């Protein structure tokens, strides 16, 4: 079984940069590996390393959305506690208490002031999980409704950070 990509043009891929005691963020390594592997001739990848800084992310991510007009965004997260590949059903805007690489944390503990508390994926993650499991790979895939809030052993933004795939023109 495979996932059809013919109708989708992946145009941008981003991984977060170093944080805390981690000189390299594993999400950045993951997206670089995906770039090396490629997704076929019909898929165009542009790779970005995003600093682990709340204020930079607040400026850069909307600029990437504007530049690429995405139809789909896929985030690749980092968790020291995860033992499986975890597909998140939603992303949270509140509850961010960790300091970023600039030693900054929004006083409101929100990533986007006035933004929704949670953004639910429109992708059927249960179906994705079933399809990946049916491939017979040596990978365990699970579903979560509680995406990380960038807090980890360093208390910084990067330990629960995500890399993103922007899809579209």
């Amino acid at each position: 079984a495979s996932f059809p990509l013919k109708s989708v043009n992946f145009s941008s891929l981003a991984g977060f940069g170093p944080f805390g005691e981690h000189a390299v963020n594993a999400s950045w390594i993951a997206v670089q590996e995906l770039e090396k592997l490629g997704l076929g001739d019909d898929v165009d990848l542009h790779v970005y390393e995003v600093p682990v800084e709340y204020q930079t992310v607040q400026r850069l991510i909307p600029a990437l959305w504007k530049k690429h007009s995405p139809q789909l965004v896929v985030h690749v997260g980092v968790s020291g506690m995860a033992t499986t590949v975890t597909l998140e059903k939603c992303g949270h805007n509140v509850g961010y208490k960790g300091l970023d690489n600039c030693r900054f944390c929004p006083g409101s503990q929100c990533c986007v002031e006035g933004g929704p508390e949670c953004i639910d994926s429109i992708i059927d993650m249960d179906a994705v999980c079933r399809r990946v499991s049916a491939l017979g790979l040596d990978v365990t895939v699970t579903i979560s409704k509680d995406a990380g809030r960038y807090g980890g052993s360093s208390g910084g933004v990067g330990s629960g950070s995500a890399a993103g795939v922007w899809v579209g023109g």
Side-chain angles (χ1 to χ4, degrees):
S2 64
F3 295 97
L5 294 174
K6 298 255 187 249
S7 63
V8 177
N9 174 21
F10 286 75
S11 58
S12 299
L13 185 65
F16 279 82
F19 65 95
E21 67 275 7
H22 303 281
V24 177
N25 190 316
S27 71
W28 175 235
I29 298 292
V31 297
Q32 287 179 306
E33 289 300 313
L34 184 57
E35 179 186 34
K36 288 179 195 173
L37 292 171
L39 295 173
D41 293 336
D42 295 338
V43 181
D44 185 24
L45 293 177
H46 302 275
V47 177
Y48 299 91
E49 184 178 27
V50 179
V52 180
E53 303 165 3
Y54 289 104
Q55 293 172 320
T56 300
V57 168
Q58 288 172 355
R59 287 188 307 271
L60 182 60
I61 299 303
L64 290 172
W65 275 78
K66 184 176 180 179
K67 179 178 180 178
H68 298 291
S69 301
Q71 298 167 354
L72 172 71
V73 177
V74 178
H75 292 270
V76 181
V78 177
S79 170
M81 300 182 308
T83 58
T84 68
V85 172
T86 306
L87 304 176
E88 299 291 351
K89 288 188 171 191
C90 66
H92 300 284
N93 188 35
V94 297
Y96 291 83
K97 300 175 185 178
L99 298 175
D100 67 10
N101 284 346
C102 294
R103 307 215 29 87
F104 174 79
C105 180
S108 64
Q109 298 180 357
C110 289
C111 282
V112 179
E113 290 290 331
E117 186 173 326
C118 182
I119 298 175
D120 293 311
S121 176
I122 61 169
I123 297 170
D124 183 344
M125 292 300 179
D126 295 302
V128 173
C129 185
R130 285 190 302 275
R131 289 187 72 180
V132 170
S133 297
L135 293 173
L137 304 172
D138 189 23
V139 176
T140 303
V141 181
T142 58
I143 303 293
S144 170
K145 290 184 179 181
D146 190 22
R149 308 283 200 308
Y150 301 122
S153 58
S154 67
V157 166
S159 51
S161 69
V165 180
W166 282 264
V167 180

